[in-house]
């Protein structure tokens, strides 16, 4: 094929790609919006909560308080946070965790007298939320991006999965400025809890 024909073929292919619509997944709702495992509805109704000093020291304290209030305040959903006892169910931390994630949850289940890692499709007894200040500093997260990340990770602790990028949801990944659960997130939590 001559150079002229290769250029024409590339040009036609690029034009076809540009004209093609991008397909997005439909918003996840009901059971499809949740991991297969997670905390039980009974546990979610009264979750003991511990917040490490690192959360406040690194500027995420207000965001964590807002996230708890947002989820706790959803009408027709039995979600509640209580002061930490000797064995808190939800534990929040902030720090330098490298450059792999902005935030992450680590679910655990009881393994005898201690906790062992749990998969997303297993029952959970405790969830650690880690907010990666180092990552967010490195990638220039705004205050609103940090707030969204915090609310997003609290959503994961309730079992919510990621939503497609075209969906109006605090559960989609990336640099967005949602600072509250959206109507989709709320209806999913009402469905489950």
């Amino acid at each position: 094929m001559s150079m002229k024909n290769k250029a024409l073929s590339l040009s036609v292919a690029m034009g076809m790609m540009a004209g093609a619509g991008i397909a997005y997944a439909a918003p996840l709702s009901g059971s499809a919006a949740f991991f297969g495992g997670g905390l039980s509805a009974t546990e979610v109704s009264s979750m003991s909560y511990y917040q490490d000093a690192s959360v406040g020291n690194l500027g995420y304290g207000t965001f964590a308080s807002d996230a708890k209030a947002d989820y706790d305040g959803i009408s027709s959903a039995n979600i509640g946070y209580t002061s930490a006892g000797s064995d808190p169910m939800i534990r929040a931390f902030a720090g330098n965790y490298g450059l792999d994630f902005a935030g992450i949850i680590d679910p655990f289940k009881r393994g005898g007298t201690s906790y062992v890692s749990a998969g997303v499709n297993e029952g959970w007894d405790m969830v650690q939320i880690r907010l990666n200040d180092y990552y967010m500093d490195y990638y220039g997260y705004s205050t609103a991006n940090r707030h969204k990340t915090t609310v997003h990770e609290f959503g994961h602790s309730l079992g919510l999965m990621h939503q497609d990028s075209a969906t109006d949801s605090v559960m989609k990944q990336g640099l967005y400025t949602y600072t509250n659960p959206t109507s989709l997130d709320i209806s999913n939590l009402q469905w489950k809890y």
Side-chain angles (χ1 to χ4, degrees):
M1 180 182 279
S2 72
M3 190 57 101
K4 183 177 178 182
N5 287 343
K6 284 181 184 178
L8 179 61
S9 295
L10 180 60
S11 176
V12 169
M14 295 292 280
M16 290 173 63
M17 287 173 30
I22 298 173
Y24 292 102
L28 299 176
S29 61
S31 63
F34 291 89
F35 298 122
L39 297 168
S40 72
T42 302
E43 291 169 323
V44 167
S45 70
S46 183
M47 295 175 287
S48 55
Y49 175 76
Y50 165 78
Q51 181 171 295
D52 187 71
S54 61
V55 175
N57 292 343
L58 292 172
Y60 298 91
T62 300
F63 306 150
S65 294
D66 288 351
K68 289 188 321 179
D70 287 345
Y71 290 118
D72 192 25
I74 296 173
S75 63
S76 301
N78 194 10
I79 298 170
Y81 295 89
T82 64
S83 299
S86 60
D87 190 18
M89 193 173 305
I90 304 292
R91 303 171 189 198
F93 301 87
N96 174 352
Y97 304 111
L99 291 174
D100 291 333
F101 59 86
I104 197 166
I105 64 158
D106 301 308
F108 294 89
K109 61 185 177 181
R110 292 199 186 278
T113 58
S114 62
Y115 288 104
V116 295
S117 290
V120 295
N121 293 319
E122 297 180 278
W124 305 344
D125 295 307
M126 188 263 288
V127 180
Q128 287 185 355
I129 297 169
R130 291 190 288 152
L131 303 169
N132 193 346
D133 189 59
Y134 180 73
Y135 181 101
M136 290 189 257
D137 280 347
Y138 187 87
Y139 288 107
Y141 274 45
S142 68
T143 299
N145 298 145
R146 291 167 193 262
H147 194 161
K148 181 265 183 188
T149 299
T150 305
V151 175
H152 177 98
E153 294 308 324
F154 272 79
H156 280 319
S157 75
L158 296 171
L160 287 169
M161 296 189 339
H162 286 142
Q163 290 280 356
D164 186 86
S165 63
T167 304
D168 185 28
S169 171
V170 76
M171 295 312 298
K172 63 184 180 179
Q173 290 180 286
L175 292 171
Y176 298 101
T177 56
Y178 297 99
T179 56
N180 304 95
T182 66
S183 59
L184 174 63
D185 305 317
I186 290 168
S187 65
N188 282 329
L189 291 164
Q190 289 169 328
W191 174 85
K192 181 152 182 151
Y193 301 114

